[in-house]
Amino acid sequence: MNDYIEMTIPAKADYVGVARLTVSGIANRMGYTFDEIEDIKIAVSEAITNAVNHAYGEEVEGYIQLTYGIFDDKLEITVRDTGKSFNVEEATKAMGPVNNKAIDQISEGGLGLFLIESLMDQVQINEKAGVVVVMTKYLNRDGVDEIVDQYKPARSQ
């Protein structure tokens, strides 16, 4: 790992934007494209929003710990709360398949997890003590940039 950044925010919707701005700055510095940065921001927002909405009751003031592991080839983001856990497998089953469904036919519960898994390259969720979501996005995942660099412009005649 090259660098490691850690921050703790209150489990309140007001602070989702702070985390989005932070991850945007980190991803931009690492060289992700605009679209990749937008995907990362959405995934981070969904993970934090899940923690804000489900981890703590209204009477308990909780916190969310965010860590950003910066590697040469990837960004690894961890969103951790110590609140109420849930069964990931049951939540995924309850959501059901989303293929070929209109957006208004998709069940709201679990949609955030679906988005996170769709937008990131790897996702691990641990629900043993609170919820820990580890999301990874690779740089040049498909090697397109490397392939494009191999082609040289054609000679003009």
Side-chain angles (χ1 to χ4, degrees), residues 40-105:
I40 295 167
K41 286 167 50 180
I42 291 170
V44 167
S45 295
E46 289 297 328
I48 294 171
T49 300
N50 281 344
V52 167
N53 291 339
H54 304 294
Y56 305 102
E58 292 181 17
E59 295 142 13
V60 178
E61 189 168 311
Y63 291 90
I64 300 167
Q65 182 183 31
L66 302 161
T67 58
Y68 304 94
I70 302 168
F71 298 82
D72 290 335
D73 64 338
K74 66 183 177 182
L75 174 60
E76 187 176 276
I77 305 153
T78 303
V79 177
R80 176 188 324 261
D81 69 66
T82 57
K84 188 171 60 175
S85 298
F86 69 101
N87 186 318
V88 175
E89 198 170 309
E90 286 180 14
T92 304
K93 283 181 184 175
M95 182 180 72
V98 294
N99 295 339
N100 300 322
K101 284 186 175 179
I103 192 73
D104 59 342
Q105 295 175 328

